[in-house]
Amino acid sequence: MTTQLSDTVALLGDLIAFPTVSEFSNIDMIAFLAYRLEEAGARVDIFHDEIGHKANLFATIGPEVDGGIVLSGHSDVVPADPQDWVSDPFEMIEHEGRLYGRGTCDMKGFIAAATAMAPIFAERVKDRPVHFAFTYDEEVGCFGAQSLVKSLKAKGLRPGVAVIGEPTSMRIIEGHKGCYEYTTRFSGLAGHGSAPDRGVNAVEYAVRYVNRLLELKDALRARAPAGSRFDPPWTTINTGSLQGGVAHNVIAGHAEVQWEMRPVQLSDADFVKDDLREYCLGHLLPAMKAVCPDADIVTEVIGEVEGLEPVDENEARDIVMELTGANSVDVVPFGTEAGIFQTFGMSSVICGPGSIDQAHKPDEFVSIDQLQQCLDMLDRLGGKLAA
């Protein structure tokens, strides 16, 4: 086992011991990573959330110039029920070439590899900086990455390339759909079911809203970009839940629709939101308010995470293809923070150790071989930046 690989495995064990489930703080893990990166000579910034419960880390090795290469990973993990695991999910174990623990592949393995390579980067990097971006709350809406790009903008930092180390089995991913989630609430006027005209039935208006979603769902098929490689190739809409009312004979005063869309392009998201806004303002609300002036429809944004749109010119893709020797790229159905960096103006690509098939499951693991492949890629990156 090489020095870098043994360091990576040891560091990954340390990271797994931090139970950074999204509902808990990641501060201790971020402080630990900051210490390790500062020891390697990196300049480290820590950006806390509004209540100081979570933090993003952004560190730099090399010159203070624009156009640097970001190695990005999220620090949070999904919950792990110990009863479903063979071993303690927050104590990494090795067995037959695999490292088990919550977050080993999604995605502390990449964070460990990138951090273990920091001393090598410090020796080699010359004209173009390497950045480390470790975020919070990716698993619950990518809130940390959205906050981080605002922090970078405020500091005037403009990296040029982002490599997001989500588990892709070291395949190069240049595209994925966005994920936009909403809860739309309807406030009507309750009353006796025998006099429906005297009330505003929130459930009935919610049903009309869902019908509109179904119409848009069909309309989006015709908007599929030519040559789209996604499956399905168009933007999708899913109605996850419709709740409301209290009894058979009571006019429902309140209702709620939970729904999502997965845009293949940003224009589709605007198309859907603009249509629904016009439909509510022009049709549903006037009818509701004619009976009850206080009736209302309010949509809460649960999360809007941009997709990673494949583009012809993608420096991040080209660099990683050169580093790995790959001659093909792909798109995936799952979401990442990559689209956020792309929207910020960075060339973005996804490539990291481990398989998405192991993510979010009991006995999650990453193979040592996959970590070595990741280290090989990062080592070549160091050589490229030393040239």
Side-chain angles (χ1 to χ4, degrees), residues 326-366:
N327 55 16
S328 64
V329 295
D330 206 350
V331 298
V332 292
F334 61 85
T336 76
E337 297 169 328
I340 296 170
F341 292 111
Q342 184 183 58
T343 302
F344 183 58
M346 299 169 62
S347 167
S348 302
V349 74
I350 308 159
C351 183
S355 169
I356 196 67
D357 292 339
Q358 273 73 57
H360 298 195
K361 294 180 180 179
D363 302 323
E364 175 184 346
F365 70 85
V366 66

CSV table of all heavy atoms in Angstrom, one decimal, residues 326-366:
chain,number,residue,atom,x,y,z
A,326,ALA,N,-9.9,8.0,-19.8
A,326,ALA,CA,-11.2,7.6,-20.3
A,326,ALA,C,-11.5,8.2,-21.7
A,326,ALA,O,-11.0,9.3,-22.0
A,326,ALA,CB,-12.3,8.1,-19.3
A,327,ASN,N,-12.2,7.5,-22.5
A,327,ASN,CA,-12.6,8.0,-23.8
A,327,ASN,C,-14.1,8.1,-24.0
A,327,ASN,O,-14.6,8.2,-25.1
A,327,ASN,CB,-12.0,7.0,-24.9
A,327,ASN,CG,-12.4,5.6,-24.7
A,327,ASN,OD1,-13.4,5.3,-24.0
A,327,ASN,ND2,-11.7,4.7,-25.4
A,328,SER,N,-14.8,8.1,-22.9
A,328,SER,CA,-16.3,8.3,-22.9
A,328,SER,C,-16.8,9.0,-21.7
A,328,SER,O,-16.1,8.9,-20.6
A,328,SER,CB,-17.0,6.9,-23.1
A,328,SER,OG,-16.8,6.1,-22.0
A,329,VAL,N,-17.9,9.6,-21.8
A,329,VAL,CA,-18.5,10.2,-20.6
A,329,VAL,C,-20.0,9.8,-20.6
A,329,VAL,O,-20.5,9.3,-21.6
A,329,VAL,CB,-18.4,11.8,-20.7
A,329,VAL,CG1,-16.9,12.2,-20.6
A,329,VAL,CG2,-19.0,12.3,-22.0
A,330,ASP,N,-20.7,10.1,-19.5
A,330,ASP,CA,-22.1,9.7,-19.4
A,330,ASP,C,-22.9,10.7,-18.7
A,330,ASP,O,-22.4,11.7,-18.2
A,330,ASP,CB,-22.1,8.3,-18.6
A,330,ASP,CG,-23.3,7.5,-19.0
A,330,ASP,OD1,-24.2,8.0,-19.6
A,330,ASP,OD2,-23.3,6.3,-18.5
A,331,VAL,N,-24.2,10.5,-18.6
A,331,VAL,CA,-25.1,11.2,-17.7
A,331,VAL,C,-25.7,10.3,-16.7
A,331,VAL,O,-25.8,9.1,-16.9
A,331,VAL,CB,-26.2,12.0,-18.5
A,331,VAL,CG1,-25.6,13.0,-19.5
A,331,VAL,CG2,-27.1,11.0,-19.3
A,332,VAL,N,-26.3,10.8,-15.6
A,332,VAL,CA,-26.8,10.0,-14.6
A,332,VAL,C,-28.2,10.6,-14.1
A,332,VAL,O,-28.4,11.8,-14.3
A,332,VAL,CB,-25.9,9.9,-13.3
A,332,VAL,CG1,-24.7,9.1,-13.7
A,332,VAL,CG2,-25.5,11.2,-12.8
A,333,PRO,N,-29.0,9.7,-13.5
A,333,PRO,CA,-30.3,10.2,-13.0
A,333,PRO,C,-30.3,11.0,-11.6
A,333,PRO,O,-31.1,11.7,-11.3
A,333,PRO,CB,-31.2,9.0,-12.9
A,333,PRO,CG,-30.2,7.9,-12.6
A,333,PRO,CD,-28.9,8.3,-13.4
A,334,PHE,N,-29.2,10.7,-10.8
A,334,PHE,CA,-29.2,11.3,-9.5
A,334,PHE,C,-28.6,12.7,-9.5
A,334,PHE,O,-27.9,13.0,-10.4
A,334,PHE,CB,-28.4,10.4,-8.5
A,334,PHE,CG,-27.0,10.1,-8.9
A,334,PHE,CD1,-26.0,11.0,-8.5
A,334,PHE,CD2,-26.6,9.0,-9.6
A,334,PHE,CE1,-24.7,10.8,-8.8
A,334,PHE,CE2,-25.3,8.7,-9.9
A,334,PHE,CZ,-24.3,9.6,-9.5
A,335,GLY,N,-28.9,13.5,-8.5
A,335,GLY,CA,-28.5,14.9,-8.5
A,335,GLY,C,-27.2,15.0,-7.6
A,335,GLY,O,-26.9,14.2,-6.8
A,336,THR,N,-26.5,16.1,-7.9
A,336,THR,CA,-25.3,16.5,-7.2
A,336,THR,C,-25.3,18.0,-7.1
A,336,THR,O,-26.2,18.7,-7.5
A,336,THR,CB,-24.0,16.0,-7.9
A,336,THR,OG1,-23.8,16.9,-9.0
A,336,THR,CG2,-24.2,14.6,-8.4
A,337,GLU,N,-24.2,18.5,-6.5
A,337,GLU,CA,-23.9,20.0,-6.4
A,337,GLU,C,-23.3,20.5,-7.7
A,337,GLU,O,-23.1,21.8,-7.8
A,337,GLU,CB,-23.0,20.3,-5.2
A,337,GLU,CG,-23.6,19.9,-3.9
A,337,GLU,CD,-22.6,19.9,-2.8
A,337,GLU,OE1,-21.4,19.7,-3.0
A,337,GLU,OE2,-23.0,20.2,-1.6
A,338,ALA,N,-23.0,19.7,-8.7
A,338,ALA,CA,-22.3,20.2,-9.8
A,338,ALA,C,-23.0,21.3,-10.6
A,338,ALA,O,-22.3,22.2,-11.1
A,338,ALA,CB,-22.0,19.0,-10.8
A,339,GLY,N,-24.3,21.2,-10.7
A,339,GLY,CA,-25.0,22.2,-11.4
A,339,GLY,C,-25.0,23.6,-10.8
A,339,GLY,O,-25.0,24.6,-11.4
A,340,ILE,N,-24.8,23.6,-9.4
A,340,ILE,CA,-24.7,24.9,-8.7
A,340,ILE,C,-23.4,25.5,-9.1
A,340,ILE,O,-23.3,26.7,-9.3
A,340,ILE,CB,-24.7,24.6,-7.2
A,340,ILE,CG1,-26.1,24.1,-6.8
A,340,ILE,CG2,-24.4,25.9,-6.4
A,340,ILE,CD1,-26.2,23.5,-5.4
A,341,PHE,N,-22.3,24.7,-9.2
A,341,PHE,CA,-21.0,25.3,-9.6
A,341,PHE,C,-21.0,25.7,-11.0
A,341,PHE,O,-20.4,26.8,-11.4
A,341,PHE,CB,-19.9,24.3,-9.3
A,341,PHE,CG,-19.6,24.0,-7.9
A,341,PHE,CD1,-19.9,22.8,-7.3
A,341,PHE,CD2,-19.0,25.0,-7.1
A,341,PHE,CE1,-19.7,22.5,-6.0
A,341,PHE,CE2,-18.8,24.7,-5.7
A,341,PHE,CZ,-19.1,23.5,-5.2
A,342,GLN,N,-21.7,25.0,-11.9
A,342,GLN,CA,-21.8,25.3,-13.3
A,342,GLN,C,-22.6,26.7,-13.4
A,342,GLN,O,-22.2,27.5,-14.2
A,342,GLN,CB,-22.6,24.2,-14.1
A,342,GLN,CG,-22.7,24.5,-15.6
A,342,GLN,CD,-23.5,23.4,-16.3
A,342,GLN,OE1,-24.6,23.2,-16.0
A,342,GLN,NE2,-22.9,22.7,-17.2
A,343,THR,N,-23.7,26.8,-12.7
A,343,THR,CA,-24.4,28.1,-12.8
A,343,THR,C,-23.6,29.3,-12.3
A,343,THR,O,-23.8,30.4,-12.8
A,343,THR,CB,-25.7,27.9,-11.9
A,343,THR,OG1,-26.5,26.8,-12.4
A,343,THR,CG2,-26.6,29.2,-12.0
A,344,PHE,N,-22.7,29.0,-11.4
A,344,PHE,CA,-21.8,30.0,-10.9
A,344,PHE,C,-20.7,30.4,-11.9
A,344,PHE,O,-20.1,31.4,-11.7
A,344,PHE,CB,-21.1,29.5,-9.6
A,344,PHE,CG,-20.2,30.5,-8.9
A,344,PHE,CD1,-20.6,31.7,-8.5
A,344,PHE,CD2,-18.8,30.2,-8.7
A,344,PHE,CE1,-19.8,32.7,-7.9
A,344,PHE,CE2,-18.0,31.1,-8.1
A,344,PHE,CZ,-18.5,32.3,-7.7
A,345,GLY,N,-20.6,29.7,-13.0
A,345,GLY,CA,-19.7,30.0,-14.1
A,345,GLY,C,-18.5,29.1,-14.2
A,345,GLY,O,-17.6,29.4,-14.9
A,346,MET,N,-18.6,28.0,-13.5
A,346,MET,CA,-17.4,27.0,-13.5
A,346,MET,C,-17.7,25.9,-14.4
A,346,MET,O,-18.8,25.4,-14.5
A,346,MET,CB,-17.1,26.5,-12.1
A,346,MET,CG,-16.8,27.6,-11.1
A,346,MET,SD,-16.8,27.1,-9.4
A,346,MET,CE,-15.5,25.8,-9.4
A,347,SER,N,-16.7,25.4,-15.1
A,347,SER,CA,-16.8,24.2,-15.9
A,347,SER,C,-16.8,23.0,-14.9
A,347,SER,O,-16.0,23.0,-14.0
A,347,SER,CB,-15.6,24.1,-16.8
A,347,SER,OG,-15.4,22.8,-17.3
A,348,SER,N,-17.8,22.1,-15.0
A,348,SER,CA,-18.0,21.1,-13.9
A,348,SER,C,-18.1,19.7,-14.5
A,348,SER,O,-18.7,19.5,-15.6
A,348,SER,CB,-19.3,21.5,-13.1
A,348,SER,OG,-19.2,22.8,-12.5
A,349,VAL,N,-17.7,18.8,-13.7
A,349,VAL,CA,-17.8,17.4,-14.0
A,349,VAL,C,-17.8,16.6,-12.7
A,349,VAL,O,-17.4,17.0,-11.7
A,349,VAL,CB,-16.6,16.9,-14.9
A,349,VAL,CG1,-15.3,16.8,-14.1
A,349,VAL,CG2,-16.9,15.6,-15.7
A,350,ILE,N,-18.4,15.3,-12.8
A,350,ILE,CA,-18.5,14.5,-11.6
A,350,ILE,C,-17.6,13.2,-11.9
A,350,ILE,O,-17.8,12.6,-12.9
A,350,ILE,CB,-20.0,14.1,-11.4
A,350,ILE,CG1,-20.9,15.3,-11.4
A,350,ILE,CG2,-20.1,13.3,-10.1
A,350,ILE,CD1,-22.3,15.0,-11.6
A,351,CYS,N,-16.8,12.9,-10.9
A,351,CYS,CA,-16.0,11.7,-11.0
A,351,CYS,C,-15.4,11.4,-9.6
A,351,CYS,O,-14.7,12.2,-9.0
A,351,CYS,CB,-14.8,11.9,-12.0
A,351,CYS,SG,-13.8,10.4,-12.2
A,352,GLY,N,-15.8,10.2,-9.1
A,352,GLY,CA,-15.3,9.9,-7.8
A,352,GLY,C,-15.3,8.4,-7.5
A,352,GLY,O,-15.9,7.6,-8.2
A,353,PRO,N,-14.7,8.0,-6.4
A,353,PRO,CA,-14.6,6.6,-6.0
A,353,PRO,C,-15.8,6.0,-5.4
A,353,PRO,O,-16.6,6.7,-4.7
A,353,PRO,CB,-13.4,6.5,-5.0
A,353,PRO,CG,-13.5,7.9,-4.3
A,353,PRO,CD,-14.0,8.9,-5.4
A,354,GLY,N,-16.1,4.7,-5.6
A,354,GLY,CA,-17.3,4.1,-5.1
A,354,GLY,C,-18.4,4.1,-6.0
A,354,GLY,O,-18.4,4.9,-7.0
A,355,SER,N,-19.4,3.3,-5.7
A,355,SER,CA,-20.6,3.2,-6.6
A,355,SER,C,-21.8,3.7,-5.9
A,355,SER,O,-22.0,3.5,-4.7
A,355,SER,CB,-20.8,1.7,-6.9
A,355,SER,OG,-22.1,1.5,-7.6
A,356,ILE,N,-22.6,4.4,-6.7
A,356,ILE,CA,-23.9,5.0,-6.2
A,356,ILE,C,-24.8,3.8,-5.8
A,356,ILE,O,-25.7,4.0,-4.9
A,356,ILE,CB,-24.6,5.8,-7.3
A,356,ILE,CG1,-25.7,6.7,-6.7
A,356,ILE,CG2,-25.1,4.9,-8.4
A,356,ILE,CD1,-25.2,7.8,-5.8
A,357,ASP,N,-24.5,2.6,-6.2
A,357,ASP,CA,-25.3,1.5,-5.8
A,357,ASP,C,-25.2,1.2,-4.3
A,357,ASP,O,-26.0,0.5,-3.7
A,357,ASP,CB,-25.0,0.2,-6.6
A,357,ASP,CG,-25.4,0.3,-8.1
A,357,ASP,OD1,-26.2,1.1,-8.4
A,357,ASP,OD2,-24.8,-0.4,-8.9
A,358,GLN,N,-24.1,1.6,-3.7
A,358,GLN,CA,-23.8,1.4,-2.3
A,358,GLN,C,-24.3,2.6,-1.4
A,358,GLN,O,-24.5,2.4,-0.2
A,358,GLN,CB,-22.4,1.1,-2.0
A,358,GLN,CG,-21.9,-0.3,-2.1
A,358,GLN,CD,-21.9,-0.8,-3.6
A,358,GLN,OE1,-21.1,-0.2,-4.4
A,358,GLN,NE2,-22.6,-1.8,-3.9
A,359,ALA,N,-24.5,3.7,-2.1
A,359,ALA,CA,-24.9,4.9,-1.3
A,359,ALA,C,-26.2,4.8,-0.7
A,359,ALA,O,-27.1,4.2,-1.3
A,359,ALA,CB,-24.8,6.1,-2.2
A,360,HIS,N,-26.4,5.3,0.5
A,360,HIS,CA,-27.7,5.4,1.2
A,360,HIS,C,-28.2,4.0,1.7
A,360,HIS,O,-29.3,3.9,2.1
A,360,HIS,CB,-28.7,6.1,0.4
A,360,HIS,CG,-28.4,7.5,0.0
A,360,HIS,ND1,-29.4,8.4,-0.5
A,360,HIS,CD2,-27.3,8.2,0.1
A,360,HIS,CE1,-28.8,9.6,-0.7
A,360,HIS,NE2,-27.6,9.5,-0.4
A,361,LYS,N,-27.3,3.0,1.7
A,361,LYS,CA,-27.8,1.7,2.0
A,361,LYS,C,-27.0,1.2,3.3
A,361,LYS,O,-25.9,1.7,3.6
A,361,LYS,CB,-27.5,0.7,0.9
A,361,LYS,CG,-28.4,1.0,-0.3
A,361,LYS,CD,-28.1,-0.1,-1.4
A,361,LYS,CE,-28.9,0.2,-2.7
A,361,LYS,NZ,-28.6,-0.8,-3.8
A,362,PRO,N,-27.6,0.2,4.0
A,362,PRO,CA,-26.8,-0.4,5.1
A,362,PRO,C,-25.5,-1.0,4.5
A,362,PRO,O,-25.5,-1.5,3.4
A,362,PRO,CB,-27.7,-1.5,5.6
A,362,PRO,CG,-29.1,-1.0,5.2
A,362,PRO,CD,-28.9,-0.3,3.9
A,363,ASP,N,-24.5,-1.1,5.4
A,363,ASP,CA,-23.2,-1.7,5.0
A,363,ASP,C,-22.6,-1.0,3.8
A,363,ASP,O,-22.0,-1.7,2.9
A,363,ASP,CB,-23.3,-3.2,4.8
A,363,ASP,CG,-23.8,-3.9,6.1
A,363,ASP,OD1,-23.5,-3.5,7.2
A,363,ASP,OD2,-24.7,-4.8,5.9
A,364,GLU,N,-22.7,0.3,3.7
A,364,GLU,CA,-22.1,1.1,2.6
A,364,GLU,C,-20.6,0.9,2.6
A,364,GLU,O,-20.0,0.8,3.7
A,364,GLU,CB,-22.5,2.6,2.8
A,364,GLU,CG,-21.8,3.5,1.9
A,364,GLU,CD,-22.1,5.0,2.2
A,364,GLU,OE1,-23.0,5.3,3.0
A,364,GLU,OE2,-21.4,5.9,1.7
A,365,PHE,N,-20.0,0.8,1.4
A,365,PHE,CA,-18.6,0.6,1.4
A,365,PHE,C,-18.0,1.3,0.1
A,365,PHE,O,-18.7,1.6,-0.8
A,365,PHE,CB,-18.3,-0.9,1.3
A,365,PHE,CG,-18.6,-1.6,0.1
A,365,PHE,CD1,-17.8,-1.6,-1.0
A,365,PHE,CD2,-19.8,-2.3,-0.1
A,365,PHE,CE1,-18.1,-2.2,-2.2
A,365,PHE,CE2,-20.2,-2.9,-1.2
A,365,PHE,CZ,-19.3,-2.9,-2.3
A,366,VAL,N,-16.7,1.4,0.2
A,366,VAL,CA,-15.9,1.8,-1.0
A,366,VAL,C,-14.7,0.8,-1.0
A,366,VAL,O,-14.2,0.4,0.0
A,366,VAL,CB,-15.4,3.3,-0.9
A,366,VAL,CG1,-14.4,3.5,0.3
A,366,VAL,CG2,-14.7,3.7,-2.2
